[in-house]
Amino acid sequence: MSLSPSISPDTRPALGPDTGPNACSGTGACSDTGAGSTRPAGTPEPPPTPPAGDTRAPLTPSTLRTIVRELAERPEEWIHHVRLSTEERWYRRLVADADHEVWLISWLPGQSTGFHDHGGSRGAFTVALGELEELSLGGPDQGLLIRRVPAGTARAFGPDYVHDVRNTAVGPAVTLHAYSPPLSSMAHYDLRAGGLVRTSEEGPEQW
């Protein structure tokens, strides 16, 4: 896959561990196939910081899915920010509102999140360029679910969703992620014979 000439390497750390219609409002995920940050050159200001003191209700997974899908269709607003990192996934926060935030992430082949939750936040992501793979646990009769997530696909999920997202393709990928409320913590998990085992937790100060 060929990305925009404006995409250049960057070695800053990546965002820490990071969809059937009815599942979007619950704890599962729903899919749709419709349509540490770094500053861009010449832009000295840091990424936005969420305002404090606002207690608006979280946005629904379906609304978050719409946000990332519509933003993906306006690459002129984000493509110039994209960088690639050979160390870890690269990330930049694009939107920081009281009730949601939006992140831009790039993935080189082999990079992944590992299994993680979203600290009780609802979320959605879409693949704008490239292709990813998503792993999650289904019901007792399903076991490990592996989904291909090509460009143009949006995934949305409820507050208790746990997944692992990875780039198993041969080229880089670029994604847009929205969370509501803005992420306050993320727990990491190991997949073992008995299921997922929580191993660690991190907060915004580590991103």
Side-chain angles (χ1 to χ4, degrees):
M1 181 190 71
S2 175
L3 294 179
S4 164
S6 64
I7 298 177
S8 61
D10 186 280
T11 56
R12 303 211 178 198
L15 176 65
D18 57 247
T19 296
N22 295 332
C24 284
S25 60
T27 60
C30 57
S31 63
D32 182 307
T33 54
S37 61
T38 192
R39 304 185 191 77
T43 307
E45 72 276 5
T49 299
D54 195 301
T55 57
R56 282 180 280 179
L59 303 182
T60 66
S62 293
T63 297
L64 295 170
R65 180 177 59 185
T66 298
I67 288 172
V68 294
R69 282 189 56 197
E70 292 182 349
L71 184 56
E73 294 170 359
R74 303 192 303 272
E76 67 279 3
E77 297 184 15
W78 50 264
I79 191 68
H80 56 287
H81 292 306
V82 178
R83 303 291 184 269
L84 300 177
S85 170
T86 58
E87 298 297 323
E88 298 179 85
R89 291 167 300 124
W90 170 93
Y91 70 96
R92 179 185 174 87
R93 185 162 55 194
L94 299 179
V95 175
D97 205 345
D99 59 359
H100 78 286
E101 62 183 357
V102 178
W103 293 86
L104 174 66
I105 304 178
S106 70
W107 315 62
L108 287 177
Q111 293 178 342
S112 66
T113 62
F115 279 98
H116 65 282
D117 64 23
H118 307 89
S121 293
R122 296 151 179 80
F125 73 93
T126 188
V127 178
L129 296 168
E131 177 179 316
L132 294 178
E133 182 178 86
E134 182 190 32
L135 283 63
S136 64
L137 290 184
D141 299 327
Q142 295 177 300
L144 181 65
L145 302 178
I146 302 175
R147 303 177 183 88
R148 175 176 169 268
V149 190
T153 302
R155 303 281 290 168
F157 45 86
D160 298 325
Y161 193 57
V162 177
H163 64 167
D164 177 7
V165 183
R166 55 183 62 190
N167 185 354
T168 59
V170 297
V174 176
T175 53
L176 292 155
H177 304 244
Y179 302 102
S180 182
L183 294 173
S184 60
S185 67
M186 283 186 175
H188 300 264
Y189 301 80
D190 280 346
L191 179 59
R192 300 177 184 171
L196 292 172
V197 177
R198 183 168 172 159
T199 57
S200 64
E201 183 173 338
E202 62 182 60
E205 66 280 357
Q206 295 166 273
W207 307 335

